[in-house]
Amino acid sequence: MNNADPLVLIDGLEGSMDNVNAQDIESISILKDAASCSIYGSRAANGVILITTKKGKGRISVNYSGRISYAKPTRIIDMISNYTDYMEWINESGENIGQKGNFNQSTIDLWREKSKDPNGVNELGVPNYVAYPNTDWQKEIFQHGLINDHNLSLSGGTDKTRFLASMGYMDNPGLVDRTGSKQYKMRMNLEADVTSWLTAGARIYGDMTDLEAGNFSNANNYLRQTTPGIYPEWNGQYGYPEAPEESSTANNLLLKLNDTNGSTKKTNVNAAVFSKVTFMKGLTWTFNFNYKRYWYERRTWTHAMDQIKFSTNEIKNAAAKPDMMTTSFANEGNWSYTLENIVNYNTTIARGHNIGVMGGYQGWYKYWNSSNASLQGLIDESINVPSSATEMKSIGGTARDRATRSFFGRVNYDYKGRYLFEANLRYDGNGRYGKDYRWGTFPSFSAGWRISEEAFMAGTRGWLDNLKLRASWGKLGNDGGDDVSEYEYQSVYGITDYSFGGKQVSGLAMTALANAALGWERSTTTDIGLDVNALRNRLSFEFDYYNKKTTGILYRPSIPITMGGLTAPRMNIAEVSSHGIDVSVSWRDKIGKVDYAVSANFGYTTNEVKKYKGQYKEGWDADGNWYNNKGDVFNDSGSLSPVVEGHKLWEYYMRQPYKGNGNYYNKDGAVNVNGGPKDGIIRTEVDMDWVKAMIAAGYEFQPNKTIGKNSIWYGDMIYADLNGDGKYGNSYDYKFQDISKDPKYTFGMQMSASWNGFDISMNWAGAAGRKLYWGATTGYNSTGTRVGLGLSKDIANNHYFYDPENPNDPRTNINAKYPRLTLGESGSQNVVSSTHFLYSGDYLKLKNLTIGYTLPKHVTNKIFAQSIRFYLSGENLFSIDDFPGQDPELGSNPTYTSVRSFAFGTNITF
């Protein structure tokens, strides 16, 4: 329910996968069971990703890897780009609800005529394609950029020293104008055996990213907020809606991308020193110190531009004058350190009893701060530093810190690698809790039995290499991650406005209720697993069953409105149970000169809220009134995927379209409540007669209730009466759908082969058993329209139309996929939240396909190279899914499209 991201450790120290050069990675391991994760502390409650970077060894080698990638959007929602068609459909949507069409027929006819001669010019010399545009904004906005990615490393060592130095550069122009970035990365790993008893080293990493000023992070929202009737740019000027009836709010998206100048810079520095002292055989002391620093610096200022109606050469929106120009800055930063001391002792006694003992301490501290300001009134756009502005518009800043301290220990035992046992214990303290609740004790245990090593398995050793049964149990603390703020255990004050002496003034007030008893979330996980290796390790199989119970989840319950504007206190109030299985199988072999490998993985998981604010109840009371208690037990009584005790986490809760059998009337002539339209859409006059008969019999269809063009009409959807009160689709007709946005199943497959220097590999990934709610979104999946917003081709070309006064209208389409068009984003019978907008989120993707060739040794030796490999690769090549939006993997409302790329690259080692 809070942050579920795994802990990422790079060479044993916390980091981000974005902050490591892929070419520097030597290995990646994933830990999921509690016993394996427990030694890493509270931030490991959601699993651990261990990344080990290269250290270098042996002779000095130079490695270059370079790649040039061609990128484009994987899937976009096709929008109507013919403005004549767009205007006619907007008019249809208005006429459907009894209003006059928005666009005059003369405007439509003129556009149609001028579109026949796009290169003709008007009396001002403006081409028809500019004065009467039919803009495809998807093509105008999205570019096909070439990404350059280059990395160079130097590594090597002797029997006493090992080193790696690397640098990387990536230039990504972005899919959209002025959204490019350039990234620079550097790493230095150095390790030396100073003496026979002392090893010491340092790891230093840094990266810097420069971002252009264009902000299109919410691209998918902006792309629908425009129409084809605007020409983007001509002769260095930006267009305005050309049709006189068009909304002035229709966006010129290129103007929005270019109306701000500036830059953003992000910088990371991560430095660590470590040492290992060997006191005697088996006894070592390891010391680690890590310092991290992050800077975010953003500067923006107005780029003043006119917006022109090209057909008349009118300035419709004049460029901002200097006194209205703004400049702003936002700076953020944080620094942290981690200090670790770990003592290990390993020994073997009595010929085969291997014992290991470890004890350690970790201290961690992090400090964040930020400052920002916006000012107005510049002398000129080119003089844009804050001190040049004349008026302060806003100013702000924040600071916070957090600290943790941990003591931990571990005991390992195995007998000849046959019987294995491990016990861990952590004692963790976290500064975000009060002094009486900040410490927690978290134990874990694991055991393994290598059955294949038993004497009675001797007969299987010709084909069975390993058979291991394992089990683990562990308890981990979780502090809620970044979803939980600091200082919530105590009352704090915030700036708020109030009236004093008849004026609005600022002061301090308590803005949130505190919870002094705030404490740890605790996750208890049980895991049982089986590992099998057979046929000379060509066949591998792993199976895990896990059961995870998280108690005391930090969450804010809703509070009565009578509490005023105070934020509810966060409490250890919720409990979630998860269980599932993970299965993986792989096969590696060789046929002649062909080496090949195939592996597959499958996972099943389910999450259920075991405790929150009580069970949901509904039904008829003693007075014959329907009731439910969602206001008391939901986290949000208006949510379509609430947190509710006894249900799946984020389970959907919503109306359902009516589903009838099409019989309409009973044998006695009375209306049949179950006999209406089969898919819930009023398609025929017989359907409409049934609706009228139902209303006459005392039934009610919400939300619009009555018959009429502006209420319930042909092509409208009706909703089921799930509680039997005779009111179809009212607030009591919501039902839990037994499914959520989280996938129940995940799966993947990897395949590779090599022959005579050629290699090929592919990676498939998918998810199933979930649905995505993509609510009615004007311009994309809604039949509700608005002047100034786009219209998707899917809706435009497959929507219902029927005019009972003119049944032979050529637009008639009573078997359409979608309901009728209606003018307005809300109020229509067809934009009500319901399972009509609940779509399958299942998918199977080809995530990567790579084909490579490594030059023969006798060729590379001639140019003093150890290895040269060339390759072609593709990312996100295609997806098998039924989702009508962009990418089910990204969810129902991604702010930016996913990317498909094709790359040519090389790896050269000297």
Side-chain angles (χ1 to χ4, degrees):
M1 292 170 63
N2 291 314
N3 189 319
D5 296 333
L7 173 66
V8 177
L9 295 176
I10 303 169
D11 293 325
L13 298 169
E14 186 177 357
S16 167
M17 295 186 72
D18 294 331
N19 300 138
V20 60
N21 191 327
Q23 303 301 320
D24 293 340
I25 296 175
E26 183 171 318
S27 65
I28 298 178
S29 301
I30 299 176
L31 308 179
K32 291 188 285 187
D33 65 280
S36 299
C37 297
S38 63
I39 202 65
Y40 299 105
S42 61
R43 282 164 286 175
N46 299 305
V48 181
I49 298 175
L50 300 175
I51 298 176
T52 302
T53 60
K54 299 173 182 176
K55 299 178 178 63
K57 55 185 176 181
R59 56 162 288 184
I60 295 176
S61 63
V62 178
N63 180 270
Y64 165 78
S65 63
R67 181 176 63 175
I68 298 177
S69 305
Y70 166 83
K72 66 177 185 178
T74 55
R75 185 195 299 176
I76 56 177
I77 301 172
D78 290 327
M79 310 292 285
I80 293 299
S81 58
N82 185 304
Y83 195 49
T84 302
D85 292 341
Y86 172 84
M87 289 188 285
E88 289 182 333
W89 277 315
I90 291 294
N91 281 358
E92 177 187 316
S93 67
E95 293 162 359
N96 279 347
I97 60 173
Q99 296 183 7
K100 181 179 179 294
N102 183 77
F103 294 96
N104 294 326
Q105 190 60 45
S106 59
T107 301
I108 296 174
D109 293 340
L110 179 62
W111 228 273
R112 181 178 288 111
E113 182 64 27
K114 295 297 184 180
S115 295
K116 294 177 182 179
D117 182 21
N119 294 315
V121 297
N122 67 6
E123 61 276 10
L124 297 177
V126 180
N128 287 339
Y129 69 85
V130 175
Y132 304 92
N134 295 284
T135 301
D136 185 337
W137 282 104
Q138 307 279 19
K139 290 183 179 179
E140 294 292 335
I141 292 297
F142 288 114
Q143 306 170 2
H144 298 159
L146 286 178
I147 302 171
N148 279 273
D149 190 0
H150 305 279
N151 298 277
L152 184 67
S153 68
L154 179 69
S155 63
T158 66
D159 57 342
K160 292 186 179 294
T161 60
R162 296 154 294 279
F163 73 91
L164 166 77
S166 71
M167 62 180 65
Y169 167 75
M170 183 173 69
D171 180 6
N172 183 352
L175 291 178
V176 175
D177 186 37
R178 301 184 78 234
T179 62
S181 66
K182 293 183 178 180
Q183 189 173 52
Y184 313 85
K185 294 184 177 183
M186 297 186 67
R187 176 177 293 276
M188 170 64 78
N189 290 350
L190 177 62
E191 183 178 294
D193 297 329
V194 182
T195 68
S196 60
W197 53 268
L198 174 62
T199 299
R203 302 184 186 98
I204 302 172
Y205 169 82
D207 69 69
M208 183 173 67
T209 303
D210 292 323
L211 303 171
E212 293 182 327
N215 181 7
F216 216 48
S217 60
N218 202 18
N220 289 332
N221 189 38
Y222 282 121
L223 281 169
R224 68 184 184 90
Q225 297 181 12
T226 188
T227 74
I230 305 172
Y231 198 76
E233 183 182 9
W234 188 58
N235 290 340
Q237 295 178 310
Y238 295 94
Y240 182 84
E242 294 289 345
E245 305 91 336
E246 184 58 89
S247 171
S248 61
T249 63
N251 290 315
N252 184 322
L253 300 183
L254 282 188
L255 175 66
K256 291 194 74 66
L257 280 170
N258 288 276
D259 63 1
T260 301
N261 274 335
S263 64
T264 299
K265 186 183 294 292
K266 300 178 181 180
T267 307
N268 283 284
V269 175
N270 191 333
V273 293
F274 62 93
S275 65
K276 182 178 181 181
V277 177
T278 302
F279 296 103
M280 64 181 195
K281 182 180 179 182
L283 180 60
T284 62
W285 165 45
T286 302
F287 168 82
N288 293 302
F289 180 80
N290 173 228
Y291 178 82
K292 298 196 321 186
R293 189 75 167 89
Y294 168 76
W295 296 268
Y296 171 93
E297 304 160 276
R298 180 171 175 83
R299 283 265 292 112
T300 59
W301 57 89
T302 301
H303 178 41
M305 298 173 292
D306 293 327
Q307 194 173 6
I308 309 296
K309 186 173 182 178
F310 293 126
S311 59
T312 60
N313 200 30
E314 296 176 79
I315 297 177
K316 303 297 289 187
N317 287 326
K321 295 180 180 179
D323 65 330
M324 297 303 294
M325 293 181 182
T326 61
T327 181
S328 64
F329 70 87
N331 295 327
E332 298 177 18
N334 64 68
W335 60 269
S336 67
Y337 70 81
T338 304
L339 176 67
E340 287 184 338
N341 284 281
I342 302 172
V343 176
N344 283 277
Y345 179 68
N346 296 282
T347 188
T348 300
I349 60 176
R351 301 179 61 184
H353 295 275
N354 302 305
I355 299 173
V357 180
M358 182 267 283
Y361 163 84
Q362 182 189 74
W364 175 84
Y365 177 81
K366 188 169 185 177
Y367 176 84
W368 296 262
N369 64 2
S370 68
S371 59
N372 62 83
S374 178
L375 302 96
Q376 181 176 306
L378 301 179
I379 300 171
D380 181 81
E381 181 181 332
S382 63
I383 305 174
N384 50 61
V385 294
S387 61
S388 68
T390 59
E391 180 184 356
M392 177 68 73
K393 299 297 290 184
S394 66
I395 188 169
T398 63
R400 60 190 177 97
D401 66 351
R402 189 191 312 169
T404 65
R405 186 173 294 172
S406 302
F407 301 90
F408 48 88
R410 179 173 63 198
V411 176
N412 297 91
Y413 168 80
D414 77 80
Y415 176 65
K416 294 185 176 180
R418 186 185 309 165
Y419 310 113
L420 306 100
F421 175 79
E422 179 178 295
N424 297 279
L425 183 67
R426 288 190 66 96
Y427 186 56
D428 291 322
N430 195 308
R432 70 173 17 161
Y433 307 127
K435 62 179 182 179
D436 295 330
Y437 297 91
R438 64 180 43 154
W439 289 95
T441 302
F442 305 104
S444 67
F445 306 92
S446 66
W449 178 23
R450 289 194 65 193
I451 304 172
S452 55
E453 296 301 303
E454 295 289 355
F456 60 80
M457 296 292 289
T460 66
R461 288 175 186 154
W463 61 273
L464 183 64
D465 303 293
N466 178 50
L467 176 61
K468 180 180 177 182
L469 181 66
R470 48 188 167 77
S472 65
W473 176 92
K475 182 175 289 188
L476 286 172
N478 184 12
D479 62 10
D482 292 335
D483 292 339
V484 179
S485 302
E486 271 58 59
Y487 323 123
E488 291 190 22
Y489 66 91
Q490 57 185 331
S491 297
V492 294
Y493 291 87
I495 296 176
T496 186
D497 294 330
Y498 68 101
S499 177
F500 183 77
K503 297 181 180 180
Q504 179 177 305
V505 296
S506 296
L508 293 177
M510 188 171 70
T511 56
L513 297 174
N515 176 14
L518 201 67
W520 287 93
E521 293 183 1
R522 298 173 187 268
S523 297
T524 303
T525 304
T526 302
D527 184 281
I528 299 174
L530 180 69
D531 299 336
V532 180
N533 298 85
L535 304 176
R536 289 176 293 182
N537 288 311
R538 290 178 295 172
L539 176 65
S540 298
F541 173 82
E542 291 186 12
F543 172 87
D544 281 272
Y545 167 80
Y546 61 88
N547 191 312
K548 180 178 179 180
K549 184 177 182 180
T550 304
T551 60
I553 294 175
L554 297 163
Y555 208 68
R556 292 189 191 275
S558 56
I559 58 175
I561 196 170
T562 54
M563 296 298 295
L566 292 175
T567 301
R570 196 179 300 272
M571 303 173 67
N572 297 94
I573 192 174
E575 182 179 306
V576 173
S577 176
S578 307
H579 70 270
I581 62 171
D582 288 317
V583 181
S584 64
V585 61
S586 65
W587 174 264
R588 295 177 177 274
D589 202 1
K590 185 173 185 178
I591 302 176
K593 294 184 178 181
V594 178
D595 292 291
Y596 69 96
V598 180
S599 63
N601 59 276
F602 171 83
Y604 162 82
T605 188
T606 183
N607 301 300
E608 182 179 346
V609 181
K610 292 294 187 179
K611 180 182 177 182
Y612 184 47
K613 296 166 65 178
Q615 296 277 343
Y616 173 72
K617 296 178 182 179
E618 63 180 12
W620 299 97
D621 64 19
D623 297 324
N625 298 313
W626 183 267
Y627 77 95
N628 65 44
N629 64 341
K630 67 178 184 180
D632 298 325
V633 300
F634 283 20
N635 66 315
D636 178 356
S637 60
S639 175
L640 299 177
S641 54
V643 175
V644 187
E645 184 176 317
H647 287 272
K648 296 180 188 297
L649 185 61
W650 314 122
E651 183 177 345
Y652 291 114
Y653 174 77
M654 56 185 62
R655 299 180 184 92
Q656 299 175 183
Y658 175 90
K659 301 292 183 183
N661 57 31
N663 291 335
Y664 302 106
Y665 302 97
N666 297 320
K667 291 182 179 180
D668 61 2
V671 66
N672 179 4
V673 296
N674 298 315
K678 294 182 178 181
D679 64 353
I681 297 178
I682 304 170
R683 297 182 179 274
T684 65
E685 294 190 13
V686 179
D687 290 341
M688 179 60 78
D689 290 340
W690 176 85
V691 173
K692 292 177 179 178
M694 288 284 289
I695 293 174
Y699 297 100
E700 183 176 283
F701 293 95
Q702 293 197 8
N704 290 341
K705 301 180 182 180
T706 60
I707 302 298
K709 284 188 173 182
N710 199 27
S711 49
I712 300 175
W713 198 241
Y714 292 94
D716 280 344
M717 184 171 290
I718 56 176
Y719 301 93
D721 176 18
L722 298 179
N723 74 328
D725 64 357
K727 297 179 180 180
Y728 287 71
N730 69 1
S731 60
Y732 291 139
D733 289 323
Y734 285 69
K735 180 182 179 181
F736 285 101
Q737 301 299 316
D738 195 33
I739 199 165
S740 74
K741 64 182 179 180
D742 295 327
K744 186 181 295 185
Y745 311 103
T746 56
F747 39 83
M749 177 176 288
Q750 301 77 40
M751 293 175 278
S752 63
S754 62
W755 171 79
N756 280 352
F758 291 95
D759 62 86
I760 183 172
S761 64
M762 64 176 63
N763 181 22
W764 296 80
R770 68 168 180 164
K771 289 192 175 181
L772 299 175
Y773 179 72
W774 187 24
T777 306
T778 303
Y780 286 155
N781 69 330
S782 174
T783 55
T785 66
R786 194 181 100 186
V787 179
L789 265 64
L791 181 65
S792 76
K793 286 185 178 180
D794 195 26
I795 295 287
N797 296 324
N798 200 2
H799 67 269
Y800 179 96
F801 184 86
Y802 178 72
D803 182 358
E805 297 178 0
N806 183 15
N808 296 319
D809 190 309
R811 295 175 293 176
T812 297
N813 183 6
I814 65 171
N815 297 313
K817 178 180 179 181
Y818 299 102
R820 65 172 179 151
L821 298 179
T822 54
L823 186 62
E825 292 186 271
S826 61
S828 166
Q829 191 78 9
N830 305 316
V831 297
V832 171
S833 57
S834 74
T835 57
H836 175 69
F837 296 104
L838 205 55
Y839 305 95
S840 170
D842 302 347
Y843 68 90
L844 176 63
K845 279 186 175 184
L846 179 55
K847 301 285 285 185
N848 174 272
L849 173 64
T850 300
I851 300 173
Y853 178 68
T854 302
L855 295 179
K857 282 290 185 181
H858 70 271
V859 175
T860 58
N861 288 341
K862 293 180 180 178
I863 55 175
F864 307 103
Q866 297 182 51
S867 174
I868 299 177
R869 178 177 178 264
F870 300 97
Y871 65 89
L872 295 170
S873 71
E875 305 281 344
N876 287 328
L877 294 180
F878 68 86
S879 176
I880 302 171
D881 63 77
D882 293 324
F883 186 60
Q886 288 201 334
D887 187 342
E889 185 180 14
L890 298 181
S892 56
N893 289 294
T895 57
Y896 201 74
T897 184
S898 58
V899 176
R900 176 177 295 128
S901 64
F902 302 89
F904 170 75
T906 184
N907 301 105
I908 303 174
T909 301
F910 294 96

